[in-house]
């Protein structure tokens, strides 16, 4: 658990220098914006956290 938390901190903290661009439907964009708002974070932060959590979950399976 501690290692997973450290990995998450490394991925989420620090200066962001890379950008990934992808297309979504208007419905998905609206849903993501609502989910981010509910969590009091930006859409970018919400998506980044989801990706980091998925990476950590996959590493834990290995």
């Amino acid at each position: 658990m501690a290692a997973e938390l450290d990995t998450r901190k490394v991925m989420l903290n620090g200066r962001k220098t890379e950008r990934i661009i992808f297309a979504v439907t208007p419905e998905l964009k609206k849903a993501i914006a609502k989910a981010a708002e509910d969590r009091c974070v930006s859409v970018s932060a919400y998506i980044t956290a989801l990706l980091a959590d998925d990476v950590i979950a996959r590493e834990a399976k290995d």
Side-chain angles (χ1 to χ4, degrees):
M1 179 69 177
E4 291 173 1
L5 185 57
D6 289 342
T7 301
R8 191 173 196 279
K9 285 180 183 179
V10 167
M11 286 192 281
L12 295 177
N13 292 335
R15 187 166 183 217
K16 309 299 187 277
T17 59
E18 301 297 323
R19 183 175 299 259
I20 298 173
I21 299 171
F22 57 96
V24 297
T25 63
E27 295 82 9
L28 181 56
K29 182 179 178 182
K30 184 176 178 181
I32 291 170
K34 175 75 170 103
E37 182 181 325
D38 290 348
R39 290 162 178 80
C40 299
V41 297
S42 68
V43 169
S44 178
Y46 178 64
I47 293 170
T48 301
L50 287 174
L51 293 170
D53 291 344
D54 185 66
V55 167
I56 291 167
R58 289 174 178 274
E59 288 178 355
K61 288 180 183 180
D62 291 341

